[in-house]
């Protein structure tokens, strides 16, 4: 047997970081991110409620979570018990492990163990199950118990076939996989082979081992809690572990997580960034007069490394460590000035690989335990319908990746990104041809273009609002928020999103023409299916007419309010607020210049009848990324963003909130109050970067200092300064509270620590440096 290699490594990232972050804004939350022995991200985060979660951002998106409380039942005051972590990979690369230390002031009890998918851990937290008693029954996914119930009802011979596909002989053995197995100091090192030959017990150490195979038995996660027998004494009672120190004082133990899931292939910073950005980063690093600027930049570069793999770019750590189509595509647009020429290939290839047969871009993938969960639900449906052969086939590969195709905006973003890649003169023609010929990519790209042509055909023929691209309808009748504001109330119940119809659809149609021309230039003649795309391929004026029709779609979203009407609606909105909030915003209004002109903005969405839902929003800034606009047009689009909230979106010392629902009805106010994720109380880092990058794009370097450029430069400065003063510029999203007449920025509770489209700040910093 070979010898496993173990290395001690410092955290690659840590939050909050002294000098860069305000610890108070994190409200007791702390996290470290490591690179494991294969270069995959491994994140440990500790919440103020005592929940410790270990995320493994690998090919299975795994997690191991547990909750730690003190002897009084309160969340334990946890701290790091080691300066770094030990990362290890077995000789045959069959397992990887990461170990680190934790400590608490006194005796601790540990329970609520949950091993499996990070998606399940995410739901566990959303459901506030981490606040349950430590000895509460294990969290069992109902889809899996229903699967077992269905197997139990099958005839014996059929039941045996289904169980065999899952690698068990009995229902009892299958049920045992639903809960973790907890063992104190096993009498023999059962886990030695999977732990790279290391035993689990020495004369001076104790070990509590928690293990759980996946439901299909094909992958495994192991958790080991280990301590020194000379200092601490462990005990196991049911599913709760207690660690005490007889002599009193701090309790220290190590945490070791091991997996046999597949690793991803990381990209290095040299593979991610182009030479221009490298030179910019070197200048920042050499500027010793501003060390914090380099520390922030280096932190973002490391964040980009942690999310970038040959197989995909992940959306964020810890909650979204998987493929997300929109996040990758938007990042590709924002990062174009700083990315190496090959980076868009990873994005486009990943999207095309997951494309549906009819050309729909996958929004999100379900991996590992989440794939098992979703496939189990499909199995339950098939068995209930009597389709046993199909059900058996599903059991044979219960971890098969599942794709979610519900989103709409990403279908129109893929052509825009692909067109930029194919039109990029830095990429040789031979490379473009080779890229498209690999893995049916060309055929799949054509399928996506055909989908865009089909979905835009009705409006191109008859440009009325109800022919715009619609959100899909849910089973309960509501319109699914199928663009980036994907919370239930993200589009205030609207059916037609402004960003999809006024920005992405017309630019996707333009991209169709660019791609068709590029393919001709490359000598590629793909088969084009009959329908609107074939018509465009043979009749270019027809495509130009469709583009022209869609460029007029913005008119359906225009809202104009006279100053008196603005004053009336603002007063009604403020009267609805709690007293402390109302008084604060009334004070802001008293200090602001009164609105003199008509307020004009593009509505967030249209209702089912095609009428605007009058919500001011940041989405018009996306147009700045995909079009070259004059100063006046740019200011028209971003003007409402720069007006002080609650008239517009701008909040001093915070940044531009993502929406302002003041001009909508009370039902909308209350909906956003219940679900704040995309509400007027939140700033999104994504929005900030789109605004800043878009404004910089509209301000060529040669215009610096020119009089006509001054308003754009002022907008850049105001937004950047306000966000910097929030202390949360590099967060995924942030909010605020009103405390004794002061606005206090705060980290949003489910915000990602490392978020792909927040890291597009790297491109923003580069672009601002040009000015």
């Amino acid at each position: 047997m070979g010898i496993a290699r173990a290395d001690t490594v410092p955290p690659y990232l840590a939050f909050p970081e002294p000098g860069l972050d305000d610890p108070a804004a994190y409200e007791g939350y702390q996290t470290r991110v490591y690179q494991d022995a294969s270069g995959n991200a491994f994140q440990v985060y500790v919440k103020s409620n005592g929940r410790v979660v270990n995320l493994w951002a690998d090919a299975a998106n795994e997690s191991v979570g547990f909750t730690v409380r003190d002897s009084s039942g309160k969340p334990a005051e946890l701290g790091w018990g080691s300066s770094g972590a030990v990362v290890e990979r077995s000789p045959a690369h069959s397992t990887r492990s990461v170990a680190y230390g934790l400590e608490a002031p006194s005796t601790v009890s540990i329970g609520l163990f949950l091993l499996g998918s990070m998606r399940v851990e995410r739901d566990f937290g959303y459901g506030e199950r981490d606040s349950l008693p430590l000895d509460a029954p294990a969290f069992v996914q109902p889809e899996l118990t229903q699967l077992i119930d269905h197997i139990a009802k099958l005839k014996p011979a059929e039941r045996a076939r289904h169980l065999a596909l899952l690698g068990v002989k009995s229902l009892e053995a299958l049920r045992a996989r639903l809960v973790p197995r907890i063992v104190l100091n096993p009498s023999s090192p059962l886990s030695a082979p999977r732990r790279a030959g290391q035993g689990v017990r020495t004369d001076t150490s104790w070990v509590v081992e928690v293990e759980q195979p996946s439901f299909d038995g094909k992958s495994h996660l192991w958790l080991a809690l280990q301590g020194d027998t000379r200092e601490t004494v462990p005990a196991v009672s049911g599913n709760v572990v207690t660690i005490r120190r007889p002599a009193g004082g701090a309790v220290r133990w190590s945490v070791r997580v091991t997996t046999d899931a597949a690793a991803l292939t990381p990209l290095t910073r040299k593979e991610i960034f182009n030479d221009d950005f490298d030179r910019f980063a070197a200048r920042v690093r050499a500027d010793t007069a501003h060390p914090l600027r380099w520390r922030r930049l280096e932190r973002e570069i490391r964040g980009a490394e942690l999310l970038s793999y040959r197989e995909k770019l992940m959306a964020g750590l810890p909650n979204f460590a998987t493929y997300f189509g929109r996040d990758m595509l938007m990042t590709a647009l924002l990062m174009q000035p700083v990315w190496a020429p090959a980076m868009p290939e990873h994005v486009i290839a990943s999207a095309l690989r997951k494309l549906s047969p009819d050309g729909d871009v996958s929004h999100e993938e379900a991996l590992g335990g989440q794939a098992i969960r979703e496939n189990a639900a499909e199995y339950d449906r098939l068995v209930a319908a009597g389709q046993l052969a199909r059900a058996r086939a599903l059991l044979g590969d219960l971890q098969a990746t599942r794709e979610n195709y519900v989103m709409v905006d990403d279908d129109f973003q893929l052509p825009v990104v692909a067109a930029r890649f194919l039109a990029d003169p830095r990429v040789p023609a031979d490379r473009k041809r080779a890229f498209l010929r690999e893995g049916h990519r060309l055929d799949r790209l054509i399928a996506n273009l055909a989908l865009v042509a089909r979905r835009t055909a009705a409006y191109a023929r008859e440009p009325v609002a109800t022919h715009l691209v619609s959100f899909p309808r849910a089973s309960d009748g509501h319109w699914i928020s199928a663009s980036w504001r994907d919370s239930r109330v993200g589009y205030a119940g609207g059916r037609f999103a402004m960003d999809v119809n006024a920005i992405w659809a017309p630019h996707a149609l333009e991209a169709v023409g660019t791609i068709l021309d590029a393919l001709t230039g490359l000598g590629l003649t793909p088969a084009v299916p009959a329908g609107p795309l074939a018509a465009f391929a043979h009749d270019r004026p027809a495509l130009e007419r469709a583009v022209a029709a869609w460029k007029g779609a913005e008119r359906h979203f225009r809202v104009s309010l006279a100053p008196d009407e603005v004053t009336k609606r603002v007063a009604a909105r403020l009267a609805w607020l709690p007293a402390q909030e109302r008084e604060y915003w009334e004070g802001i209004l008293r200090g602001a210049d009164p609105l003199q002109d008509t307020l004009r903005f593009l509505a967030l969405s249209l209702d089912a009848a095609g009428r605007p839902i009058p919500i001011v929003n940041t989405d018009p800034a996306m147009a700045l990324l995909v079009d070259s606009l004059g100063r006046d047009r740019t200011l028209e689009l971003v003007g409402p963003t720069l007006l002080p909230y609650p008239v517009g979106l701008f909040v001093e010392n915070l940044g531009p909130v993502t929406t302002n629902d003041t001009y909508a009805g009370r039902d909308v106010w209350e909906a956003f109050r219940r679900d704040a994720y995309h509400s007027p109380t939140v700033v999104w880092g994504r929005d900030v970067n789109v605004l800043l990058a878009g404004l910089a794009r509209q301000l060529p370097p040669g215009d610096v200092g020119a009089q006509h450029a001054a308003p754009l430069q002022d907008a850049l400065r105001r937004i950047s300064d306000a966000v910097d003063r929030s202390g949360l510029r590099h967060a995924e999203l942030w909010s605020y509270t009103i405390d004794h007449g002061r606005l206090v920025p705060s980290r949003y509770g489910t915000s990602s620590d490392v978020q792909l489209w927040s890291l597009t700040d790297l491109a923003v910093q580069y672009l601002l440096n040009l000015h």
Side-chain angles (χ1 to χ4, degrees):
M1 178 180 289
I3 298 174
R5 178 180 174 179
D7 295 304
T8 301
V9 298
Y12 207 58
L13 288 180
F15 301 89
E17 185 176 345
L20 296 185
D21 303 305
D22 177 8
Y26 281 74
E27 300 175 321
Y29 176 92
Q30 55 184 324
T31 186
R32 289 177 171 181
V33 189
Y34 298 96
Q35 287 181 309
D36 73 9
S38 295
N40 289 198
F42 180 93
Q43 180 175 6
V44 187
Y45 66 85
V46 180
K47 298 170 68 176
S48 59
N49 66 358
R51 187 70 177 171
V52 179
V53 177
N54 305 269
L55 159 73
W56 221 320
D58 57 12
N61 187 29
E62 302 173 288
S63 70
V64 172
F66 53 85
T67 298
V68 188
R69 295 183 184 149
D70 63 21
S71 57
S72 69
K74 295 179 180 178
E77 296 179 15
L78 295 174
W80 303 114
S82 59
S83 59
V86 177
V87 299
E88 189 173 351
R89 184 170 53 192
S90 65
H93 294 194
S94 58
T95 64
R96 290 167 289 130
S97 66
V98 178
Y100 60 92
L102 288 176
E103 63 180 32
S106 59
T107 297
V108 296
S109 294
I110 307 173
L112 298 176
F113 294 98
L114 185 61
L115 288 72
S117 166
M118 184 60 202
R119 287 278 298 276
V120 178
E121 176 67 40
R122 197 171 82 192
D123 292 347
F124 188 83
Y126 288 167
E128 298 183 348
R129 296 185 64 90
D130 48 9
S131 63
L132 294 173
L134 292 181
D135 59 356
F139 179 57
V140 175
Q141 300 157 54
E143 299 89 345
L144 304 185
T145 58
Q146 290 167 16
L147 183 150
I148 294 173
D149 291 343
H150 276 118
I151 292 178
K153 295 174 183 176
L154 298 173
K155 294 180 179 179
E158 185 70 19
R159 183 190 314 142
R161 295 176 72 184
H162 289 235
L163 290 173
L165 288 168
L166 294 171
V168 293
K169 295 182 178 180
S170 68
L171 292 170
E172 291 71 24
L174 190 56
R175 288 193 183 96
R177 292 177 178 171
L178 295 175
V179 297
R181 175 173 167 264
I182 304 173
V183 179
L184 170 61
N185 277 347
S187 57
S188 61
L190 297 176
S191 56
R194 62 189 177 240
R195 296 167 68 84
Q198 293 190 5
V200 298
R201 186 178 185 182
T202 69
D203 290 340
T204 59
S205 68
W206 55 261
V207 173
V208 175
E209 194 165 77
V210 184
E211 64 175 300
Q212 187 170 6
S214 59
F215 186 72
D216 62 355
K218 294 181 179 179
S219 58
H220 304 78
L221 274 171
W222 299 275
L223 167 67
L225 309 176
Q226 183 169 341
D228 190 326
T229 57
R230 295 165 296 185
E231 291 187 359
T232 52
V233 177
V236 175
S237 176
N239 52 5
V240 177
V241 177
T242 300
I243 308 172
R244 62 184 180 87
R245 184 169 184 170
V251 171
R252 299 179 182 86
W253 71 100
S254 68
V255 177
R256 179 186 178 97
V257 182
T258 303
T259 182
D260 60 4
L264 296 171
T265 311
L267 296 172
T268 66
R269 64 181 65 190
K270 280 294 184 183
E271 295 173 292
I272 297 169
F273 298 104
N274 61 29
D275 293 341
D276 288 341
F277 180 80
D278 288 343
R279 285 189 286 270
F280 162 68
R283 288 195 300 272
V284 175
R285 184 172 188 172
D287 181 9
T288 55
H290 301 91
L292 289 184
R293 187 183 182 201
W294 166 246
R295 285 176 60 192
R296 288 191 185 280
L297 193 73
E298 172 66 9
R299 182 163 79 173
E300 291 188 340
I301 292 170
R302 291 187 176 205
E305 289 179 294
L306 291 168
L307 298 181
S308 299
Y309 300 86
R310 292 195 181 280
E311 296 84 352
K312 61 191 165 192
L313 306 187
M314 293 180 178
L317 306 177
N319 291 321
F320 307 105
T322 55
Y323 161 102
F324 278 74
R326 172 195 308 119
D327 297 60
M328 287 198 317
L329 294 165
M330 280 294 298
T331 298
L333 293 173
L334 282 158
M335 294 290 275
Q336 186 176 13
V338 300
W339 261 3
M343 281 300 290
E345 294 180 16
H346 298 299
V347 170
I348 298 167
S350 185
L352 292 177
R353 186 173 64 251
K354 294 173 170 293
L355 208 70
S356 76
D358 68 351
D360 205 331
V361 173
S362 172
H363 164 59
E364 179 183 9
E365 63 186 0
L367 304 171
Q370 180 64 18
I372 289 175
R373 187 184 191 182
E374 294 185 15
N375 283 317
E378 177 67 7
Y379 171 91
D380 295 339
R381 187 188 68 79
L382 291 171
V383 172
Q387 300 180 43
L388 295 183
R390 291 181 61 191
R392 285 196 305 272
L394 199 61
L395 283 187
D397 189 10
L398 209 54
Q399 289 197 46
T401 301
R402 294 183 65 89
E403 308 292 346
N404 178 338
Y405 295 106
V406 71
M407 292 294 152
V408 172
D409 57 336
D410 48 14
D411 304 325
F412 297 88
Q413 290 164 350
L414 176 58
V416 176
V417 174
R420 288 196 178 189
F421 167 69
L422 292 174
D424 188 344
R426 299 175 301 169
V427 183
D430 287 346
R431 181 163 184 160
K432 293 173 184 174
R433 275 191 290 268
F435 173 80
L436 289 172
R437 285 170 171 159
E438 184 176 335
H440 304 288
R441 289 173 184 159
L442 180 56
D443 292 340
R444 291 176 178 177
L445 178 59
I446 292 298
N448 174 249
L449 301 187
L451 178 141
V452 167
R454 289 195 305 272
R455 289 188 179 174
T456 55
Y459 187 84
R461 286 193 303 269
E462 186 180 3
V464 296
T466 51
H467 286 174
L468 292 167
V469 176
S470 172
F471 284 155
R473 200 160 204 162
S475 57
D476 65 359
H478 83 276
W479 299 105
I480 297 172
S481 296
S483 189
W484 84 269
R485 301 169 183 266
D486 53 3
S487 57
R488 184 181 176 104
V489 301
Y491 290 86
R495 177 180 180 182
F496 307 100
M498 187 279 295
D499 66 317
V500 171
N501 289 284
I503 299 173
W504 297 119
H507 284 92
L509 281 173
E510 283 188 322
V512 168
T514 301
I515 292 170
L516 292 176
D517 288 343
L519 296 180
T520 299
L522 293 171
L524 299 175
T525 55
V528 177
L533 181 63
F536 292 157
H538 294 101
D539 183 3
R540 187 52 60 90
L543 175 57
E544 293 169 355
R545 289 192 296 273
V547 170
W550 272 94
K551 285 196 170 181
E554 180 185 301
R555 72 182 186 275
H556 303 296
F557 298 88
R558 291 176 184 150
V559 176
S560 299
L561 297 174
D564 288 349
E565 183 65 19
V566 170
T567 300
K568 174 184 172 183
R569 297 197 192 187
V570 168
R573 176 68 160 79
L574 294 185
W576 173 78
L577 291 174
Q580 188 169 227
E581 292 183 56
R582 179 174 65 251
E583 291 166 5
Y584 178 82
W585 295 115
E586 286 175 344
I588 293 296
L589 285 178
R590 286 193 296 270
D593 294 332
L595 188 69
Q596 301 292 334
D597 300 320
T598 299
L599 176 64
R600 294 182 173 87
F601 60 90
L602 298 180
L604 180 64
S605 62
L606 309 180
D607 65 17
R611 296 169 300 210
I613 299 175
I615 296 175
V616 188
N617 62 93
T618 53
D619 290 356
M622 286 186 270
L624 278 61
L625 294 177
V626 292
D627 221 341
S628 294
L629 308 171
R631 184 198 71 166
D632 292 345
R633 173 62 170 159
T634 299
L635 292 174
E636 175 189 355
L637 290 173
V638 303
T641 299
L642 300 171
L643 291 173
Y645 183 84
V647 175
L649 300 177
F650 193 78
V651 180
E652 291 288 351
N653 303 318
L654 189 76
V657 293
T658 194
T659 55
N660 180 357
D661 59 4
T662 292
Y663 312 110
R666 184 176 181 133
D667 57 335
V668 174
W669 304 346
E670 292 174 346
F672 274 123
R673 179 66 81 169
R674 290 190 299 269
D675 186 349
Y677 199 48
H678 297 102
S679 78
T681 63
V682 170
V683 177
W684 278 78
R686 168 198 189 278
D687 283 350
V688 171
N689 292 338
V690 169
L691 278 161
L692 294 177
L695 285 166
R697 187 179 185 277
Q698 304 303 320
L699 189 65
D703 283 357
V704 175
Q707 184 175 359
H708 72 272
L712 300 184
Q713 292 173 324
D714 181 63
L716 277 168
R717 178 191 55 77
R718 287 185 61 204
I719 295 168
S720 186
D721 288 352
V723 170
D724 281 342
R725 287 194 293 268
S726 76
L728 291 159
R729 176 171 187 152
H730 305 282
E732 180 190 10
L733 66 161
W734 56 97
S735 187
Y736 65 86
T737 56
I738 304 299
D739 184 18
H740 295 90
R742 291 176 55 250
L743 184 143
V744 181
S746 60
R747 179 181 179 275
Y748 194 87
T750 57
S751 173
S752 294
D753 300 301
V754 184
Q755 216 280 343
L756 187 62
W757 58 25
S758 294
L759 293 172
T760 58
D761 179 66
L762 289 163
V764 170
Q765 294 301 312
Y766 170 79
L767 290 169
L768 293 181
N769 178 71
L770 298 179
H771 299 292

